[in-house]
Amino acid sequence: MKWHFYLILFFLIFNQRTLFGEPVNISEKTRLCLDCHATYTPGIVEDWKKSLHSQTTPKEALKKAELERRVSNPDIPGDLTEIVVGCYECHGLNTRKHKDSFDHFYTQINVIVTPSDCRTCHSIEVDQYSMGMKAFAVENLEKNPVYSLLVETIISRKEYKNQKIANTPATESTKKETCFACHGTTVVVKGMKNITAGEMDLTVPDLAGFPNQGVGRVNPDGSKGSCTSCHTRHGFTLKEARKPYTCGQCHLDPDVPAYPVYKESKHGNIFYSRGDQWDFEAVPWVVGKNFSAPTCSGCHNSLIINTDGNVVANRSHDFGARIWIRIFGLIYSHPHPAHGATHGIRNAAGLPLPTTFDNIPASSYLLTTEQSSLRMASMTNVCKMCHSSSWVGSHFDKFQNTLGETNRMVLTSTELLQRAWKLKLAEPDNPFNETIEGLWIRQWLFYANSIRYASAMTGAQDYATFKNGWWELSQNIQTMDDWIRMNEKID
Amino acid sequence: MKWHFYLILFFLIFNQRTLFGEPVNISEKTRLCLDCHATYTPGIVEDWKKSLHSQTTPKEALKKAELERRVSNPDIPGDLTEIVVGCYECHGLNTRKHKDSFDHFYTQINVIVTPSDCRTCHSIEVDQYSMGMKAFAVENLEKNPVYSLLVETIISRKEYKNQKIANTPATESTKKETCFACHGTTVVVKGMKNITAGEMDLTVPDLAGFPNQGVGRVNPDGSKGSCTSCHTRHGFTLKEARKPYTCGQCHLDPDVPAYPVYKESKHGNIFYSRGDQWDFEAVPWVVGKNFSAPTCSGCHNSLIINTDGNVVANRSHDFGARIWIRIFGLIYSHPHPAHGATHGIRNAAGLPLPTTFDNIPASSYLLTTEQSSLRMASMTNVCKMCHSSSWVGSHFDKFQNTLGETNRMVLTSTELLQRAWKLKLAEPDNPFNETIEGLWIRQWLFYANSIRYASAMTGAQDYATFKNGWWELSQNIQTMDDWIRMNEKID
Amino acid sequence: MKWHFYLILFFLIFNQRTLFGEPVNISEKTRLCLDCHATYTPGIVEDWKKSLHSQTTPKEALKKAELERRVSNPDIPGDLTEIVVGCYECHGLNTRKHKDSFDHFYTQINVIVTPSDCRTCHSIEVDQYSMGMKAFAVENLEKNPVYSLLVETIISRKEYKNQKIANTPATESTKKETCFACHGTTVVVKGMKNITAGEMDLTVPDLAGFPNQGVGRVNPDGSKGSCTSCHTRHGFTLKEARKPYTCGQCHLDPDVPAYPVYKESKHGNIFYSRGDQWDFEAVPWVVGKNFSAPTCSGCHNSLIINTDGNVVANRSHDFGARIWIRIFGLIYSHPHPAHGATHGIRNAAGLPLPTTFDNIPASSYLLTTEQSSLRMASMTNVCKMCHSSSWVGSHFDKFQNTLGETNRMVLTSTELLQRAWKLKLAEPDNPFNETIEGLWIRQWLFYANSIRYASAMTGAQDYATFKNGWWELSQNIQTMDDWIRMNEKID
């Protein structure tokens, strides 16, 4: 609070519009932010300067033809329409709803810009997102006791006491950087704290569960999600969201190997070899013209048109909108859940799981055949831009066969586990914490999963075969059987 | 067959040459294809439009200086020389030989364009390819009972019945997406089937073993191979074939880690850091000028000249043309097989394997020392464009030592396996399906292999050391010994 | 020594300055090198032609403003200042100190250009490097008996004799391509050897331990290190050194997963998606303007300034200069060693390790709290270019918690190992060579390490969770306990 304080005051009073040569339609408040932050956090200021946010007003953005438009709310509040989207326009929104709101040099701002704030201009995207599974990624872990037990079994601290393994609950920090790094945290404002930034003393909100950019983050305004998971602040480029590296932050082997499978697929081959000449910023995205093979977003959520100008696939920020099968077996693959909040599912055994141990699906919580067909049609529309209907049909027939085969291989391992339980070689109270239970988890969470992803995404035969594929799926059954045989003899 | 049918008829009758503004020397038949497919499959049409095929006639292509030429048949049939290479020019070739030929809107075309078809212009490339191991990738798996047993052991469905693991043969779909995804399938025309494409009802060939782009695919015209493995339709860019991502579809860890080893090598380091400024389309490829470090194709098959204009290495589509050692141990590394069809090999024990269990090579089926020297010279010519003769010599001396060391480590594991068999802890009838046999497979298929690839390709020390390298190679011997000791005591 | 010899003689006598149209200020000696090597090793000649070395004289390089300067010795010897840095200018330096010096067509040159040679112009960089741990990478392995034992246990040849595993010491070739490929070899001149290069017979130094580019290589002039580890000859581009692929040659999973962790982090996501538009050659490197997210060198060693022109971080070639914690646990993570030569450390048990088995640090050999704070400040200065002080503080609090949690998990595995030793299920004489010891090594070398790297580098949650993370860390404890229980019953 020394001379810097007076410098701030000086800016407050004598702030000149053109001080840094920015475009003229920057708001006074944002200009004030920039006056200091251009010096203190130049990385994000420069990034913002290169962004569309700093170069376009919502009014101009709304003038574009419908398919080219990147803002979806036609009724953006009037005070925001004729200025570019700067620091204050986002961090100053809805401050009353934000528990992380605070006074920063006489201006009330929020630490975290949430989906509810982004909704001011991008309403359709946020509304779609809020329906999908990503928005429920936190509560689906926390409110499902089976999943919570798995999480805790993995990340709790283990100590060796009296020749036994004793568990201590996982710390908040560990949670934040493991499961909940992707799923998201619940951000809680614990109070205020004093910090020193540069040479200034500041009082700022003290947040638990932050930093975090998990897809289901529960924000201090009650909203769910984190747009920055895929649209990194403060460039918010489409280029980034459309490239597979972005999805590759979370969708990784061994559990959800979508990105590594893509890398080894024919589609990935084409992207990596020739993608440097594609247009990743074009809206809408013209198949063949702007890109020659799909990235993740191409198949799953981008607005795609053909060269005749007709819509092939609508944009959706519900990332399950074109998905009818849930590859990720829990413990078997099954029709996609009908609603994003999966913790409400109850299977025939009363457990919050989409199938029973014997693979009976909890059908009333899952997509109907009709709903599945509609989603499949929206996906295959994209496939057919390059592939014949016959090709696409054969591809998905093969995928369907793979679901059956891998589910059967999981069932075999489940039967082996049940045998071990019956022989009292392991205890079923916690099905996740003993040696043979660990082998069983690998079967569905790593191996069966990898094969299904490889099957679904045209290629990545290595993931179907040796790398977490059939080799492991078969070896693991042998290992489980061997472990039971040995322990049966020893006991 | 509603209004679309009449639209097609309309095009058949009134088709105008310049409808879509394409180059004028497109054939009438191809123009007709484009009339519909520009709407129905714009992805591949746009890709083709960017290709050399759509921009050059064979006549023009043949006019180039010999080293710059991309077509190798000087006697291309006259009716093809003055039109660009369009849809019909490839899909309409040799229809009588093609069992997958069918009538598509009054035109006889083939579903699959095969090496025999590509041979019309690219004769030398196809002839070279047909001699190499890739062309025999299907029959080398299927006609070798040892390999077939390994394949079936890995990908068969396992069920748990009466406390025993029971096998059900692998499905065709599983085969197609695992081992045979890289090796290739035998494509069989099962008959015709009715499909709906867009709003049209079509009758098309019903193919088993398709889609597939495996390198040894047996095609409906009897030819072997799939050019699209590396030259993806319908851009067929040299850029793609020359980049390592293409080889990286199949040459992956844990079994054949050429691509991941390249990524971590010094050569890979240079490619990834500076390759954005290289010319991947230049023919011939001028070392130093067009590229500063080799990619896979640089070492193994591209036509390379030096800055004086002299040929350093001839182009070859027999991808073993510069390889004298077979790194991939079965179960030991050995001189490269003399012929691509390896299923005819018989070792001293009468098995179709290039060495015996005790590492005696089946020399009469393998390259002679003289043949090996010639291949080595063709490879080292490339090395010497950047490295001194002394450097290159030391490098390959090191590699030779590694072959000996890793073979010895495999032999140790073979002796451990034989010990287990002798003690009746496992049965040698199928050497691939029990726990200790799985460990033994890892030794040669994963660990020894990884070290040899890392040794051969200058760098990727991680694959030689911790990642599937010596760490695993040594640990695995310990684990095998431990397993024998424990089971010996239990039994 | 046939006609090529006379050709060389011809060049020696009639050498024309402008023969190949190179810039005029190339030295006579270098011109002579180029006359032949443009033909014999065009790859490296072309690479050099594109480099700054071939385009700038040291005199011009010294004229630049201080922050833009790439040479740091203001007193470069006069005979070098007005010619570009060509072949002879580097290979002809300090030949009397070089045991690898030899007469090459009447010119005395050295095979290896060493840090001492590069020091002629880049003195500060070499001096910084010589203080850091990289320069001691060879002796830290060789002079530390604990590490030497680990190395030998992993890479020695194992044979099966009389039903026991017998070790034969690792070959020099194996050493050179495994541990010492990254750490570096000791290059020894064994004598001279005759080779044939092209059609010429040459006599050249016969080097043991070469080729090798390990970071601590002991060179034939007594110097330590290999600048070409990161600045590949003969382009020596900053672009390459600043891209993560370069560090990714060695900093790999499972033991030091810095590069794979970066790839999956948010920073990596931004680099891979948008890095094609950054300026990797700018000196100094302007945050936000030249790059939008850090690469390895951004955080660890580059000279970075902000958009106001102020220095954010000084360049350092001691790669530990901004590191205060040693993540890489041996066997626990601990304050960074105060000196690069860690083999001199003695812990409370008298062992050359930075902590005891029970995690008591050898504090007198490690950074003090004060020294740590200074290094942390130099790192967080970089973080704060994009992140708030509060964000950065929370991030490193989380990291600190992770160090404690993972150290505790390692301690548990150490206690399990000690239990096995007590029960005589394993022998503590060599703590690295038995089954349960291998499991224990995995705990600290692979799993705890991976989690710490993921924690430190903002993201890569997969490495903290499933991929060598908490999943393995917890499973491994279970496996160790299970192994002890089974063997206790058997014995």
Side-chain angles (χ1 to χ4, degrees):
Chain A
M1 285 290 233
K2 282 154 271 173
W3 62 271
H4 282 87
F5 176 78
Y6 298 102
L7 189 67
I8 301 290
L9 264 184
F10 172 84
F11 280 130
L12 278 170
I13 299 162
F14 298 103
N15 176 43
Q16 297 288 322
R17 293 202 126 234
T18 57
L19 197 64
F20 292 113
E22 284 106 4
V24 285
N25 50 352
I26 292 179
S27 72
E28 285 297 325
K29 293 233 166 164
T30 288
R31 195 169 298 276
L32 196 62
C33 304
L34 293 171
D35 286 341
C36 284
H37 279 276
T39 292
Y40 291 113
T41 55
I44 55 177
V45 168
E46 289 296 316
D47 212 31
W48 171 79
K49 281 186 184 173
K50 295 172 190 160
S51 76
L52 272 181
H53 276 171
S54 73
Q55 294 162 21
T56 326
T57 63
K59 189 177 177 183
E60 289 156 8
L62 279 166
K63 279 183 193 159
K64 293 212 169 185
E66 196 182 344
L67 287 180
E68 293 171 33
R69 218 173 283 162
R70 294 170 193 229
V71 290
S72 54
N73 182 10
D75 304 313
I76 298 169
D79 54 333
L80 292 171
T81 51
E82 302 203 15
I83 47 171
V84 300
V85 184
C87 318
Y88 183 73
E89 284 63 46
C90 296
H91 284 274
L93 280 173
N94 312 312
T95 53
R96 285 190 206 168
K97 290 187 190 160
H98 271 266
K99 292 187 182 159
D100 59 326
S101 192
F102 72 114
D103 182 295
H104 187 56
F105 296 110
Y106 311 109
T107 301
Q108 194 72 15
I109 58 165
N110 312 318
V111 177
I112 300 175
V113 178
T114 71
S116 289
D117 302 326
C118 300
R119 202 184 171 283
T120 308
C121 296
H122 305 283
S123 51
I124 292 180
E125 288 70 30
V126 172
D127 290 347
Q128 288 170 335
Y129 190 90
S130 70
M131 297 301 293
M133 286 178 68
K134 283 190 171 28
F136 297 90
V138 173
E139 62 186 77
N140 282 344
L141 266 198
E142 291 189 339
K143 295 191 180 171
N144 187 325
V146 180
Y147 297 177
S148 292
L149 180 62
L150 177 57
V151 167
E152 195 58 31
T153 304
I154 295 172
I155 63 173
S156 62
R157 187 165 72 226
K158 280 88 186 168
E159 301 185 10
Y160 193 52
K161 292 179 177 165
N162 305 320
Q163 293 152 40
K164 286 208 181 307
I165 309 298
N167 287 11
T168 306
T171 63
E172 286 304 314
S173 280
T174 292
K175 284 184 173 180
K176 190 166 71 175
E177 74 182 13
T178 53
C179 310
F180 297 89
C182 285
H183 280 253
T185 53
T186 299
V187 182
V188 175
V189 183
K190 295 186 287 183
M192 297 297 285
K193 65 178 174 184
N194 299 316
I195 62 161
T196 304
E199 296 173 10
M200 279 174 286
D201 295 317
L202 298 175
T203 302
V204 298
D206 188 12
L207 304 178
F210 196 76
N212 175 275
Q213 298 134 18
V215 294
R217 192 180 66 199
V218 181
N219 300 302
D221 64 348
S223 67
K224 292 172 191 169
S226 164
C227 301
T228 201
S229 303
C230 308
H231 302 278
T232 308
R233 57 186 184 275
H234 289 88
F236 307 103
T237 64
L238 210 43
K239 185 177 182 174
E240 189 180 313
R242 280 176 173 171
K243 288 197 177 175
Y245 315 104
T246 300
C247 310
Q249 293 173 91
C250 288
H251 293 260
L252 289 162
D253 61 305
D255 51 327
V256 280
Y259 176 58
V261 158
Y262 177 78
K263 277 205 286 191
E264 301 186 358
S265 73
K266 181 57 102 178
H267 290 155
N269 173 205
I270 302 171
F271 163 73
Y272 286 102
S273 301
R274 300 169 53 199
D276 57 339
Q277 292 173 331
W278 300 352
D279 184 347
F280 283 94
E281 291 290 352
V283 173
W285 220 14
V286 188
V287 68
K289 216 168 197 103
N290 298 146
F291 65 103
S292 305
T295 59
C296 312
S297 65
C299 288
H300 290 284
N301 84 302
S302 286
L303 165 63
I304 293 175
I305 67 165
N306 64 14
T307 43
D308 293 347
N310 297 322
V311 173
V312 174
N314 286 304
R315 182 187 295 121
S316 176
H317 277 70
D318 170 0
F319 293 87
R322 301 178 200 160
I323 295 179
W324 62 103
I325 296 283
R326 197 166 177 209
I327 289 178
F328 183 64
L330 295 154
I331 60 177
Y332 305 96
S333 68
H334 52 79
H336 204 271
H339 190 271
T342 63
H343 56 84
I345 293 175
R346 290 295 173 275
N347 67 19
L351 286 170
L353 293 173
T355 65
T356 62
F357 257 39
D358 302 326
N359 197 11
I360 302 166
S363 298
S364 61
Y365 298 90
L366 310 176
L367 291 187
T368 63
T369 311
E370 199 168 59
Q371 289 169 322
S372 291
S373 298
L374 284 171
R375 292 208 185 177
M376 184 173 178
S378 68
M379 173 70 87
T380 52
N381 266 355
V382 180
C383 307
K384 288 175 185 169
M385 289 300 102
C386 291
H387 299 285
S388 72
S389 296
S390 173
W391 199 102
V392 174
S394 296
H395 170 71
F396 284 110
D397 285 350
K398 185 202 65 176
F399 176 51
Q400 198 61 37
N401 177 77
T402 298
L403 298 176
E405 289 289 293
T406 53
N407 281 346
R408 189 63 191 80
M409 290 291 277
V410 170
L411 180 61
T412 300
S413 71
T414 305
E415 290 165 347
L416 281 159
L417 177 61
Q418 287 167 329
R419 169 92 183 141
W421 284 342
K422 196 178 162 190
L423 293 169
K424 306 277 181 203
L425 302 175
E427 288 299 323
D429 56 332
N430 176 348
F432 303 130
N433 70 338
E434 293 178 80
T435 300
I436 194 156
E437 291 162 348
L439 296 173
W440 172 70
I441 293 171
R442 286 173 190 264
Q443 192 79 347
W444 46 269
L445 190 57
F446 299 169
Y447 312 142
N449 250 2
S450 291
I451 296 164
R452 293 180 200 132
Y453 274 96
S455 182
M457 290 166 66
T458 72
Q461 34 265 20
D462 198 36
Y463 275 94
T465 314
F466 283 115
K467 203 186 290 163
N468 284 353
W470 273 91
W471 164 263
E472 299 287 357
L473 198 68
S474 291
Q475 282 274 304
N476 196 41
I477 283 177
Q478 179 61 40
T479 306
M480 289 181 79
D481 187 49
D482 200 50
W483 186 93
I484 291 172
R485 186 188 50 73
M486 285 174 74
N487 278 278
E488 208 179 343
K489 287 186 187 169
I490 293 171
D491 269 354
Chain B
M1 285 291 233
K2 282 155 267 172
W3 61 270
H4 281 85
F5 176 78
Y6 298 101
L7 189 68
I8 300 291
L9 264 183
F10 172 85
F11 279 129
L12 278 171
I13 300 162
F14 299 101
N15 176 46
Q16 299 288 321
R17 291 201 129 236
T18 56
L19 196 65
F20 292 113
E22 286 105 2
V24 285
N25 51 353
I26 293 179
S27 72
E28 286 296 324
K29 293 234 166 164
T30 289
R31 193 170 299 278
L32 196 63
C33 304
L34 294 172
D35 285 341
C36 285
H37 279 277
T39 292
Y40 290 113
T41 55
I44 56 177
V45 168
E46 289 297 315
D47 211 30
W48 170 79
K49 281 187 185 173
K50 295 173 190 162
S51 76
L52 273 181
H53 275 171
S54 73
Q55 293 162 20
T56 326
T57 62
K59 190 177 176 181
E60 289 155 8
L62 279 166
K63 279 183 194 159
K64 294 211 169 186
E66 195 181 343
L67 287 180
E68 293 171 33
R69 217 174 283 160
R70 294 169 192 228
V71 289
S72 54
N73 182 9
D75 304 313
I76 298 169
D79 55 332
L80 292 171
T81 50
E82 303 203 17
I83 47 172
V84 300
V85 184
C87 319
Y88 184 74
E89 284 64 46
C90 296
H91 284 275
L93 281 172
N94 312 313
T95 52
R96 285 190 208 168
K97 290 186 190 161
H98 271 266
K99 292 185 182 159
D100 59 326
S101 191
F102 71 114
D103 181 296
H104 188 55
F105 296 110
Y106 311 109
T107 301
Q108 193 72 14
I109 58 165
N110 312 318
V111 177
I112 301 176
V113 177
T114 71
S116 290
D117 301 327
C118 300
R119 203 184 171 283
T120 307
C121 296
H122 306 283
S123 51
I124 292 179
E125 289 68 31
V126 172
D127 290 347
Q128 288 170 336
Y129 189 90
S130 70
M131 298 301 293
M133 285 179 66
K134 283 192 173 24
F136 297 91
V138 172
E139 63 187 76
N140 283 344
L141 265 198
E142 290 189 339
K143 294 190 179 170
N144 187 325
V146 181
Y147 297 177
S148 292
L149 180 62
L150 177 57
V151 167
E152 194 58 30
T153 304
I154 295 172
I155 64 174
S156 62
R157 188 167 70 227
K158 280 87 184 170
E159 301 185 10
Y160 193 52
K161 291 180 178 167
N162 305 320
Q163 294 152 41
K164 286 208 181 305
I165 309 298
N167 286 11
T168 305
T171 63
E172 286 304 314
S173 281
T174 293
K175 285 184 173 181
K176 191 166 70 175
E177 73 182 13
T178 54
C179 310
F180 296 89
C182 286
H183 280 252
T185 53
T186 299
V187 181
V188 174
V189 183
K190 295 186 288 183
M192 298 296 285
K193 65 177 174 183
N194 299 316
I195 61 162
T196 305
E199 296 173 11
M200 280 174 285
D201 296 316
L202 297 175
T203 303
V204 298
D206 188 11
L207 305 179
F210 197 78
N212 175 274
Q213 298 134 18
V215 294
R217 192 180 65 199
V218 181
N219 299 302
D221 64 348
S223 67
K224 292 172 191 169
S226 164
C227 302
T228 201
S229 304
C230 308
H231 302 279
T232 309
R233 58 186 184 275
H234 289 88
F236 308 102
T237 64
L238 211 44
K239 184 177 182 174
E240 189 180 313
R242 280 175 171 171
K243 289 197 176 173
Y245 315 103
T246 300
C247 310
Q249 293 173 89
C250 288
H251 293 261
L252 289 163
D253 61 305
D255 51 328
V256 281
Y259 176 58
V261 159
Y262 178 78
K263 276 204 288 191
E264 301 185 357
S265 72
K266 182 57 101 178
H267 290 156
N269 172 206
I270 302 171
F271 163 73
Y272 285 102
S273 300
R274 299 168 54 200
D276 57 339
Q277 291 172 332
W278 301 353
D279 184 348
F280 283 93
E281 291 290 353
V283 174
W285 221 12
V286 188
V287 68
K289 218 171 195 100
N290 298 146
F291 64 103
S292 305
T295 59
C296 312
S297 65
C299 288
H300 290 284
N301 84 303
S302 286
L303 165 64
I304 293 175
I305 67 166
N306 65 14
T307 43
D308 293 346
N310 297 323
V311 171
V312 174
N314 287 304
R315 182 187 295 121
S316 177
H317 277 68
D318 170 359
F319 293 87
R322 301 179 201 159
I323 295 178
W324 62 102
I325 296 284
R326 198 166 176 208
I327 288 178
F328 182 64
L330 294 153
I331 60 175
Y332 305 96
S333 68
H334 52 78
H336 203 271
H339 190 271
T342 62
H343 57 82
I345 294 175
R346 289 296 173 275
N347 67 18
L351 285 170
L353 293 173
T355 64
T356 63
F357 256 40
D358 302 326
N359 196 12
I360 303 166
S363 297
S364 62
Y365 299 89
L366 310 176
L367 290 187
T368 63
T369 310
E370 199 167 59
Q371 290 170 321
S372 291
S373 298
L374 285 171
R375 291 207 186 179
M376 185 173 178
S378 68
M379 173 69 87
T380 53
N381 267 354
V382 180
C383 307
K384 288 175 186 170
M385 289 299 103
C386 291
H387 300 285
S388 73
S389 297
S390 174
W391 198 103
V392 174
S394 297
H395 170 70
F396 284 109
D397 286 350
K398 187 202 64 177
F399 176 50
Q400 198 61 38
N401 177 77
T402 298
L403 297 177
E405 290 287 294
T406 52
N407 282 346
R408 189 62 190 82
M409 289 290 277
V410 171
L411 181 61
T412 300
S413 71
T414 305
E415 290 165 346
L416 281 159
L417 177 61
Q418 287 168 329
R419 170 90 183 141
W421 283 343
K422 196 178 162 190
L423 293 169
K424 307 279 183 201
L425 302 176
E427 288 298 322
D429 57 332
N430 176 349
F432 303 130
N433 69 339
E434 293 180 80
T435 300
I436 194 155
E437 292 162 347
L439 296 173
W440 172 70
I441 293 172
R442 287 172 188 265
Q443 191 79 347
W444 47 269
L445 190 56
F446 299 168
Y447 311 142
N449 250 2
S450 290
I451 295 164
R452 294 180 200 133
Y453 274 97
S455 181
M457 290 166 66
T458 73
Q461 34 267 18
D462 198 37
Y463 275 93
T465 315
F466 283 116
K467 202 187 291 164
N468 284 354
W470 273 92
W471 163 263
E472 299 286 357
L473 198 69
S474 291
Q475 282 274 305
N476 196 41
I477 284 175
Q478 179 60 42
T479 306
M480 289 179 78
D481 187 48
D482 200 50
W483 187 92
I484 291 172
R485 187 189 48 73
M486 284 174 74
N487 279 278
E488 210 179 342
K489 287 186 187 169
I490 293 172
D491 269 354
Chain C
M1 284 291 233
K2 283 154 270 171
W3 63 268
H4 281 87
F5 176 76
Y6 298 101
L7 189 69
I8 300 291
L9 265 183
F10 172 85
F11 280 130
L12 278 171
I13 300 163
F14 298 103
N15 176 44
Q16 298 289 322
R17 292 202 129 235
T18 56
L19 196 63
F20 293 113
E22 285 104 3
V24 285
N25 51 352
I26 293 179
S27 72
E28 286 296 325
K29 294 234 168 166
T30 289
R31 194 170 299 277
L32 197 61
C33 304
L34 293 171
D35 284 342
C36 285
H37 279 277
T39 292
Y40 290 113
T41 55
I44 56 177
V45 168
E46 289 296 316
D47 211 31
W48 170 79
K49 280 186 185 173
K50 294 173 191 161
S51 76
L52 272 182
H53 275 172
S54 73
Q55 294 163 19
T56 326
T57 63
K59 189 175 177 183
E60 289 156 9
L62 280 166
K63 280 183 193 158
K64 295 210 168 187
E66 196 181 345
L67 287 180
E68 293 171 32
R69 218 173 282 163
R70 293 170 194 228
V71 290
S72 54
N73 182 10
D75 304 314
I76 297 169
D79 55 334
L80 292 172
T81 50
E82 303 203 16
I83 47 172
V84 299
V85 184
C87 320
Y88 184 73
E89 285 63 46
C90 296
H91 284 275
L93 280 173
N94 312 313
T95 53
R96 285 189 207 169
K97 290 187 189 160
H98 271 266
K99 292 186 181 160
D100 59 327
S101 191
F102 72 114
D103 181 295
H104 188 55
F105 297 109
Y106 311 110
T107 302
Q108 194 70 18
I109 58 165
N110 312 318
V111 176
I112 300 175
V113 177
T114 72
S116 289
D117 301 326
C118 300
R119 202 185 171 283
T120 308
C121 297
H122 305 283
S123 51
I124 292 179
E125 288 69 30
V126 172
D127 290 347
Q128 288 170 337
Y129 190 89
S130 70
M131 298 300 294
M133 286 179 67
K134 282 192 173 24
F136 297 91
V138 172
E139 62 186 76
N140 282 344
L141 265 198
E142 290 188 339
K143 295 189 178 171
N144 187 324
V146 181
Y147 296 176
S148 292
L149 181 62
L150 177 58
V151 167
E152 195 57 30
T153 305
I154 295 172
I155 64 173
S156 63
R157 188 166 71 227
K158 280 88 185 168
E159 301 184 11
Y160 193 51
K161 292 178 177 167
N162 305 320
Q163 293 154 38
K164 285 208 182 304
I165 309 297
N167 286 12
T168 305
T171 62
E172 286 304 314
S173 280
T174 292
K175 284 184 173 180
K176 191 165 69 174
E177 72 182 16
T178 53
C179 310
F180 297 90
C182 286
H183 279 253
T185 53
T186 299
V187 181
V188 174
V189 182
K190 295 186 288 183
M192 297 296 285
K193 65 178 174 183
N194 299 316
I195 61 162
T196 304
E199 296 173 10
M200 280 175 284
D201 295 317
L202 297 175
T203 302
V204 298
D206 188 12
L207 305 178
F210 196 78
N212 175 275
Q213 298 134 18
V215 293
R217 193 181 65 199
V218 181
N219 299 302
D221 64 348
S223 67
K224 292 172 192 168
S226 165
C227 302
T228 201
S229 303
C230 308
H231 301 279
T232 308
R233 57 185 185 276
H234 289 86
F236 308 103
T237 63
L238 210 45
K239 184 178 182 174
E240 190 181 312
R242 280 175 172 171
K243 288 197 178 175
Y245 314 104
T246 300
C247 310
Q249 292 173 92
C250 288
H251 293 261
L252 289 163
D253 60 306
D255 51 328
V256 280
Y259 175 58
V261 158
Y262 177 78
K263 276 205 287 192
E264 301 186 357
S265 73
K266 183 56 104 177
H267 290 156
N269 172 205
I270 301 171
F271 163 73
Y272 286 101
S273 300
R274 300 169 53 198
D276 57 338
Q277 292 173 331
W278 300 353
D279 184 349
F280 283 93
E281 291 290 353
V283 173
W285 220 13
V286 188
V287 69
K289 214 168 198 102
N290 297 146
F291 65 103
S292 305
T295 59
C296 312
S297 66
C299 288
H300 289 285
N301 84 302
S302 287
L303 166 63
I304 293 175
I305 67 166
N306 65 14
T307 42
D308 293 346
N310 297 322
V311 172
V312 175
N314 287 304
R315 182 187 295 121
S316 177
H317 277 69
D318 170 0
F319 293 87
R322 301 178 201 159
I323 294 178
W324 63 103
I325 296 284
R326 197 165 177 210
I327 287 178
F328 183 64
L330 294 153
I331 58 174
Y332 304 97
S333 67
H334 52 79
H336 204 270
H339 190 270
T342 62
H343 56 84
I345 293 175
R346 291 294 173 274
N347 67 20
L351 285 170
L353 293 174
T355 65
T356 62
F357 257 40
D358 301 326
N359 197 12
I360 302 166
S363 297
S364 61
Y365 298 90
L366 310 177
L367 291 186
T368 63
T369 311
E370 200 168 58
Q371 290 168 321
S372 291
S373 298
L374 284 172
R375 291 207 186 178
M376 185 173 177
S378 69
M379 174 69 88
T380 52
N381 266 355
V382 180
C383 307
K384 288 175 186 169
M385 289 299 104
C386 291
H387 299 285
S388 73
S389 297
S390 174
W391 199 102
V392 174
S394 297
H395 170 70
F396 284 110
D397 286 350
K398 185 202 65 175
F399 177 50
Q400 199 61 40
N401 177 76
T402 298
L403 298 176
E405 289 288 293
T406 52
N407 282 345
R408 189 65 190 80
M409 289 291 278
V410 171
L411 181 60
T412 300
S413 71
T414 305
E415 290 165 346
L416 281 160
L417 177 62
Q418 288 167 327
R419 169 92 183 139
W421 284 342
K422 196 179 164 191
L423 293 169
K424 306 279 183 202
L425 302 176
E427 288 299 322
D429 57 332
N430 176 348
F432 303 131
N433 69 339
E434 293 179 80
T435 300
I436 194 156
E437 292 162 348
L439 296 173
W440 171 70
I441 293 171
R442 286 172 189 265
Q443 192 78 349
W444 47 270
L445 190 56
F446 299 168
Y447 311 142
N449 250 2
S450 291
I451 295 164
R452 294 180 199 132
Y453 273 97
S455 181
M457 289 166 67
T458 71
Q461 33 266 19
D462 198 37
Y463 275 93
T465 314
F466 283 115
K467 204 187 289 165
N468 284 353
W470 274 92
W471 163 263
E472 299 287 357
L473 199 68
S474 292
Q475 283 274 303
N476 197 40
I477 283 176
Q478 179 60 41
T479 306
M480 289 180 79
D481 187 48
D482 200 49
W483 187 92
I484 291 172
R485 186 188 50 72
M486 285 174 75
N487 278 278
E488 209 180 344
K489 287 186 186 169
I490 293 172
D491 269 354

